[in-house]
């Protein structure tokens, strides 16, 4: 740790009452943000980007005369989490949540509140013309991949937010292709042009980004124990799966090329649900494996179960004999907050069933002992986000991650494609740039072992 970082740490601990429990790499992240006019903090999930940002904000408010008001923009489900983090780590900083009608929000914009925490939905409504110039000195985008579509209203509103400094926080600045990164850079630096070459893009990204991987700070974190559990379909599941598989050609209308992607995804979704459970008999080899895990893990285990399907979580809930709760994106923010608090601090529930999209960002679930991926998401970065909700820097025990994989089904082919996409992410963000993309029509047809047409190759 260099002298400047050490000096910031001394101010934070002695003058601001910051707890002296941050790791060295986190103090380096604090110093990086503190000195930066524009910054992308892209640490892997679980390394404490929120904490580093909160401490850096506290230091700026305390030591920089030109930084008086800060706006934090986060997914709505995480706004309370930000308030909790400020209260815990930076008790000297006054932080308020942006809420209420437009008139109420306008009053909050104008009041001299040092830190205001709002949602992307609120900024989309207010950021285009309702926030006065000069309102904020620093704008921080949490889970900044939310503006990956540069042409969306949300991304435009974010770029128009008045600010002197701009920070973006994202463990997955690239989820699908280079356009994700271009949108982030457009927010951070108005001079960025989307026609930059890969070499120019790489240089611009390197100039503003700090990214640490867990492997680099592993000595300060307990390990992740990853286990793939390969399962056979039960007899009823196999019969239902084979019936759907053998008739898969009839589900695809080759003459509707404009809808071919939707048709393929619909068929794959039906096959994936059969891999989870048989709708007719409610038999499931995955549920059997989950019940065995819950029993063998012991009474003190705290288990998180992720699925991309809310219907699957409800189906599991109806059949899980131990105390559990569900967490989905449809729940109100306060209800989600209380559910997480009960899992983290209460005696029950022992199992938390979470939809992958709802639990993939920003939650702190570091008391979990096990994470189960009941089924696989289309994007490996989203899966890792979900896992790292539990593998936080606060924990002192290893995290056991179990991925269910049904053999002789499309789950094997999906897993192989996800492995390739993870390699692509590591190349562009963790090493040298290269192209990435969504699951293409060609990839979807390969998963279903359907004949590939010339049109499909071009999709």
């Amino acid at each position: 740790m260099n002298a400047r970082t050490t000096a910031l740490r001394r101010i934070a601990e002695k003058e601001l009452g910051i707890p002296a429990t941050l790791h060295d790499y986190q103090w380096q992240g604090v110093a990086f943000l503190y000195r930066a006019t524009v910054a992308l903090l892209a640490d892997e999930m679980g390394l404490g980007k929120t904490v580093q940002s909160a401490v850096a904000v506290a230091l700026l408010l305390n030591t920089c005369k030109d930084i008086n008001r800060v706006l934090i923009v986060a997914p709505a489900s995480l706004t309370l989490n930000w308030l909790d983090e400020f209260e815990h780590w930076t008790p000297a900083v006054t932080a308020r949540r942006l809420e209420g009608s437009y008139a109420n929000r306008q009053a909050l914009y104008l009041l001299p509140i040092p830190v205001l925490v709002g949602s992307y939905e609120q900024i989309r409504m207010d950021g285009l013309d309702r926030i006065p110039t000069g309102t904020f000195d620093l704008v921080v985008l949490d889970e900044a991949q939310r503006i990956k579509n540069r042409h969306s209203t949300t991304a435009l509103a974010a770029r128009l937010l008045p600010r002197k400094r701009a920070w973006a926080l994202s463990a997955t600045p690239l989820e699908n292709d280079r356009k994700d990164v271009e949108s982030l850079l457009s927010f951070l630096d108005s001079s960025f042009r989307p026609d930059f070459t890969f070499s120019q893009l790489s240089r611009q990204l390197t100039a503003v980004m700090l990214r640490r991987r867990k492997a680099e700070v592993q000595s300060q974190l307990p390990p992740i124990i990853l286990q793939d559990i390969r399962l056979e379909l039960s007899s009823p599941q196999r019969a239902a799966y084979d019936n759907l598989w053998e008739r898969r050609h009839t589900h695809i209308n080759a003459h509707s090329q404009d809808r071919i992607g939707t048709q393929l995804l619909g068929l794959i979704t039906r096959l994936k649900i059969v891999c989870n459970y048989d709708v007719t008999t409610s038999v499931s080899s995955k549920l059997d494996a989950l019940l065995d895990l819950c029993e063998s893990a012991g009474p003190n285990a705290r288990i998180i179960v992720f699925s991309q399907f809310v219907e699957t979580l409800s189906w599991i809930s109806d059949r899980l004999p131990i105390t559990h709760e569900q967490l989905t994106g449809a729940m109100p923010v306060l209800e989600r907050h209380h559910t997480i608090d009960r899992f983290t601090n209460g005696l029950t529930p022992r199992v938390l069933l979470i939809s992958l999209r709802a639990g993939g960002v920003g939650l702190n679930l570091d008391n979990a002992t096990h994470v189960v991926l009941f089924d696989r998401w289309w994007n490996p970065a989203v899966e890792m986000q979900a896992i790292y909700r539990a593998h936080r820097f606060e924990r002192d025990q290893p995290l056991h991650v179990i991925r269910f994989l049904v053999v002789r089904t499309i789950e094997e082919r999906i897993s192989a494609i996800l492995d390739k996409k993870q390699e692509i992410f590591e190349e562009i963000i963790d090493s040298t740039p290269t192209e990435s993309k969504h699951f293409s029509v060609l990839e979807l047809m390969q998963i279903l072992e359907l004949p590939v047409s010339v049109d499909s190759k071009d999709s």
Side-chain angles (χ1 to χ4, degrees):
M1 191 181 301
N2 61 37
R4 295 177 67 184
T5 302
T6 301
L8 286 175
R9 178 174 183 171
R10 187 179 301 113
I11 294 172
E13 292 178 353
K14 292 187 176 181
E15 298 184 21
L16 301 180
I18 307 296
T21 54
L22 270 68
H23 297 297
D24 287 348
Y25 77 86
Q26 291 174 318
W27 283 114
Q28 292 162 4
V30 169
F32 164 76
L33 291 172
Y34 178 84
R35 294 193 293 265
T37 302
V38 297
L40 169 59
L41 183 59
D43 286 349
E44 279 192 332
M45 289 77 78
L47 295 185
K49 292 185 292 296
T50 304
V51 173
Q52 295 173 66
S53 304
V55 173
V57 164
L59 282 165
L60 283 175
L61 291 171
N62 181 260
T63 62
C64 296
K65 294 181 179 180
D66 62 337
I67 303 295
N68 298 297
R69 298 207 62 203
V70 178
L71 174 66
I72 309 287
V73 184
S77 59
L78 304 182
T79 52
L80 286 174
N81 180 67
W82 269 96
L83 295 184
D84 289 345
E85 295 290 271
F86 272 108
E87 182 179 358
H88 176 72
W89 293 99
T90 62
V93 173
T94 300
R96 287 278 305 275
R97 187 178 172 212
L98 185 64
E99 55 189 337
S101 65
Y102 166 61
N104 290 336
R105 297 197 304 274
Q106 188 174 43
L108 289 170
Y109 289 134
L110 297 175
L111 289 172
I113 302 167
V115 177
L116 199 58
V117 182
S119 70
Y120 281 99
E121 291 78 9
Q122 291 166 328
I123 297 309
R124 185 179 66 242
M125 292 186 291
D126 300 343
L128 297 178
D129 57 6
R130 293 178 172 178
I131 301 178
T133 301
T135 302
F136 299 105
D137 304 305
L138 166 65
V139 172
V140 182
L141 299 188
D142 185 23
E143 302 294 347
Q145 67 274 9
R146 287 293 182 95
I147 65 163
K148 64 183 179 181
N149 180 358
R150 187 172 182 271
H151 302 290
S152 68
T153 305
T154 302
L156 176 60
R159 290 197 297 272
L160 292 177
L161 288 171
R163 62 202 185 268
K164 298 174 184 175
R165 297 193 185 199
W167 300 346
L169 315 178
S170 177
T172 53
L174 181 143
E175 286 193 341
N176 292 298
D177 58 40
R178 60 172 284 170
K179 291 185 176 63
D180 302 349
V181 177
E182 291 172 354
S183 184
L184 289 182
L185 290 174
S186 295
F187 163 73
L188 293 172
D189 186 351
S190 59
S191 68
F192 175 78
R193 300 197 315 274
D195 60 349
F196 277 1
T197 65
F198 255 117
S199 177
Q200 291 171 316
L201 177 66
S202 179
R203 285 197 299 270
Q204 184 120 359
L205 192 61
T206 300
V208 301
M209 183 175 74
L210 175 64
R211 177 171 174 80
R212 277 79 56 85
R213 305 180 67 185
K214 288 200 170 184
E216 299 170 19
V217 297
Q218 198 65 51
S219 62
Q220 302 177 49
L221 292 169
I224 290 177
I225 302 171
L226 180 62
Q227 180 181 7
D228 286 320
I229 296 183
R230 296 166 63 82
L231 303 167
E232 292 278 359
L233 287 176
S234 66
S235 295
Q237 283 178 283
R238 175 53 69 184
Y241 184 94
D242 289 347
N243 181 51
L244 189 57
W245 178 260
E246 290 166 4
R247 295 185 298 109
R248 66 192 185 283
H249 296 82
T250 65
H251 292 274
I252 305 301
N253 184 353
H255 300 293
S256 300
Q257 286 297 319
D258 58 330
R259 295 183 60 249
I260 188 69
T262 302
Q263 294 179 59
L264 293 169
L265 281 172
L267 178 55
I268 289 173
T269 296
R270 293 176 65 185
L271 288 165
K272 291 181 70 175
I273 290 175
V274 174
C275 288
N276 284 351
Y277 62 94
D278 177 49
V279 177
T280 303
T281 64
S282 288
V283 174
S284 168
S285 56
K286 288 185 178 181
L287 179 62
D288 292 341
L290 178 61
L291 293 176
D292 289 341
L293 170 65
C294 291
E295 182 178 356
S296 62
N300 296 321
R302 292 295 176 99
I303 302 169
I304 301 172
V305 180
F306 285 109
S307 172
Q308 70 177 99
F309 304 111
V310 175
E311 295 83 359
T312 291
L313 296 176
S314 297
W315 182 89
I316 295 172
S317 178
D318 290 339
R319 291 157 181 82
L320 201 59
I322 60 178
T323 55
H324 64 277
E325 290 192 47
Q326 286 185 245
L327 184 71
T328 70
M331 294 171 62
V333 173
L334 278 174
E335 186 178 346
R336 287 164 54 93
H337 189 72
H338 294 323
T339 299
I340 293 166
D341 184 65
R342 286 191 294 271
F343 181 78
T344 303
N345 300 313
L347 297 176
T348 59
R350 284 184 53 209
V351 177
L352 191 58
L353 307 173
I354 310 182
S355 61
L356 201 51
R357 269 303 189 187
V361 293
L363 305 179
N364 293 330
L365 300 164
D366 56 280
N367 70 324
T369 58
H370 298 71
V371 169
V372 177
L373 296 182
F374 203 82
D375 45 62
R376 304 295 303 275
W377 185 254
W378 299 108
N379 190 322
V382 174
E383 288 189 335
M384 293 311 297
Q385 279 184 322
I387 291 170
Y388 287 146
R389 293 311 103 214
H391 194 238
R392 317 294 292 179
F393 75 91
E394 297 96 336
R395 67 180 297 121
D396 56 7
Q397 297 295 322
L399 177 67
H400 196 171
V401 177
I402 298 102
R403 298 186 299 194
F404 289 158
L405 176 66
V406 179
V407 299
R408 296 188 297 118
T409 70
I410 60 169
E411 288 196 344
E412 287 186 313
R413 287 182 285 281
I414 291 172
S415 179
I417 293 177
L418 288 175
D419 289 343
K420 290 181 182 178
K421 287 185 174 290
Q422 181 61 32
E423 293 174 4
I424 290 173
F425 176 87
E426 290 172 354
E427 286 177 353
I428 190 168
I429 297 299
D430 295 326
S431 181
T432 56
T434 186
E435 289 285 4
S436 178
K437 57 182 178 178
H438 300 272
F439 266 38
S440 65
V441 170
L442 174 60
E443 288 173 321
L444 297 177
M445 297 188 77
Q446 288 172 339
I447 289 171
L448 291 167
E449 295 184 355
L450 290 171
V452 178
S453 65
V454 174
D455 291 339
S456 299
K457 291 181 179 179
D458 295 334
S459 298

